[in-house]
Amino acid sequence: MVITSAFAAPKVITADRMIDVESGKLINNAVVVVDGNQIQAAGVQGRVTIPDDAERVDLGNATLMPGLMDMHVHLTSDATKHGYKRLSVSLPRAAITGVKHAQDTLMAGFTTVRNVGAPGFADVALRDAINAGDVPGPRMFVAGPSLGVTGGHCDSNLLPYEYEDYSEGVADGPWEVRKAVRRNIKYGATVIKFCATGGVLSKGTKVGAQQYTLEEMKALIAEAHLRGLTVATHAHGTSGIKDAIRAGVDSVEHVSLLDDEAIELALKNGTYFSMDIYVTEYILGEGEKAGILEESLNKERVVGKRQRENFEKAVKAGVKMVFGSDAGVYPHGDNGKQFARMVKFGMTPMQAIQAATINPATLLKQQDTLGSLSEGKLADMVAVPGNPLEDMQKMEDIRFVMKDGQIVKTLAM
C-alpha cells in the first residue's frame, strides 16, 4: 500500500532497531521524531522526548536507517532497450519513461539519486517535476548530457558517417570542455559527468583506452569546481582512472581496471569510487535479449570479473566508496540487489549501508542535511523487516519509505 501524508502533527517512528551510520552502531528500541520535513530527535525509546500531539508509527520487528542514496543511475534509460533498440526511443518517450523509473526507485527505498547522464536535459525536467510535486520520485542531483570526446563512450556511434550523428555532450579540447560544462550548468545540471575511457556498452570503443587527455580533464574539472559542482567520471581503464584522479575528479565510476598506483592516488586525493558490481549479472544474463551488442557482451565477460576483484582490493585498502548501481542498464527498482554483492566481495554489512547513506551525502557535500538519522537533517528514512546486518538480501525488501518528512510507502513488516 502506498500512502501520502501531509505535514501536520509531528510523527514518531519506532522500531526494534535503527542503524546509526555515523557511528557504525546498531541501536535497539529505536525512535525517530519528525517535525515537518526535519528530524527533531533520534535515539533510544524512553530517552527521547515525544511531543504529546505526535502521530505514532510503530514498525515493530524492523530496522530503521537513513533514506538510501544511489550515486549512479540513468532514470530516463530503459533496461529492455540497448544497442540499436535505443535508436527507436524519442526524447519525449525517454522523459515519460523516467517518471515511471523515478517512482520505482523511490519505492525501492532510494530517496536520493545522482543521475549521471540523460539526453536533452530530460533528467533536469524530471527533477523539477518531482520538486514541484507533480510526480513522485527521489531527490535528484542531475548531470544532463554526459561529456565526452568525438567517437568516445559518451558519443553516439551506432550510425554511419552520412547521418552525421553526434551526442550533444561531445566536446574536444580544453576550451570546448569548459564551454560544455558551462552549457550544462546553464540548463540546470547540478553535477558534471564525463567519460575518461572507453566503455562496455558503446560501439567501437576499447574499454580500457583513455579518451580525454589529462589537460582536457583538468580544464573540465576546474570549470565545474569553479562553479561549485562536483564531478563524476566514467572510467574503466587504468590510465584514464589515474589521470582523472590527478585532475581532481570527485568520484570515479566503474573503476574496473585498477592498479596499486590508482589506489594510492585515490587514497591521497580522497577520491570516491562508485563500482557497479551487480550489473554484470544482468548484462550477461539478460543483455542479449535487451539488444546489447555482442561486442559489448564480450567486453563485459572480461571486465566484470576484474572489476569485482578490484572492488575487493579497493575496499581492503580503505578507498572511500559510494553505492552506484548503473540502474537503467538493468531494471530500476532492483538497485538494492547490489548490497549483497558488496558484502560478498569484501565489505562489511555496515560499510555497504554507509556507502549508500553517509558516504554519498559527503561526496555531494550534503552531509549537513542528508545521509544519517540525526537531529536537524531532512527526514529521509527507510525500514526493512528484521536485521539487514545479519542478511543483506533484506535490503531488497524495503517496506517503509519516508522522503522529506512524508510517508510514501508502508507495508506490513
Side-chain angles (χ1 to χ4, degrees), residues 45-60:
Q45 295 180 44
R47 300 180 190 174
V48 173
T49 302
I50 306 298
D52 292 337
D53 61 341
E55 172 191 341
R56 294 174 179 264
V57 179
D58 182 22
L59 300 178

Side-chain angles (χ1 to χ4, degrees), residues 57-224:
V57 179
D58 182 22
L59 300 178
N61 182 23
T63 301
L64 274 171
M65 65 193 85
L68 303 174
M69 304 174 75
D70 191 335
M71 291 295 97
H72 194 121
V73 302
H74 300 278
L75 289 180
T76 59
S77 294
D78 185 340
T80 68
K81 290 182 171 64
H82 286 281
Y84 286 96
K85 287 186 176 183
R86 287 206 167 167
L87 294 176
S88 68
V89 182
S90 69
L91 179 58
R93 185 68 177 94
I96 293 168
T97 300
V99 173
K100 174 184 182 297
H101 295 158
Q103 182 170 18
D104 291 343
T105 301
L106 181 60
M107 292 302 107
F110 289 83
T111 56
T112 299
V113 299
R114 184 178 62 168
N115 202 85
V116 283
F121 297 93
D123 54 352
V124 173
L126 180 58
R127 175 201 65 197
D128 293 348
I130 291 169
N131 290 347
D134 295 337
V135 299
R139 183 177 291 101
M140 292 180 65
F141 293 83
V142 298
S146 298
L147 309 185
V149 302
T150 300
H153 178 69
C154 285
D155 196 2
S156 176
N157 302 324
L158 293 171
L159 296 175
Y161 166 76
E162 56 264 34
Y163 287 90
E164 296 185 356
D165 184 37
Y166 296 88
S167 293
E168 58 207 309
V170 168
D172 299 304
W175 281 108
E176 281 299 311
V177 298
R178 283 184 180 271
K179 183 178 180 180
V181 169
R182 292 168 182 172
R183 180 206 60 201
N184 278 18
I185 295 171
K186 173 182 178 178
Y187 291 112
T190 49
V191 299
I192 297 296
K193 174 358 183 15
F194 74 93
C195 292
T197 77
V200 170
L201 299 182
S202 51
K203 182 176 182 289
T205 70
K206 295 181 179 179
V207 72
Q210 183 167 336
Q211 294 180 350
Y212 271 129
T213 65
L214 177 60
E215 181 186 17
E216 288 170 313
M217 292 186 205
K218 283 182 175 179
L220 188 157
I221 293 166
E223 186 66 39

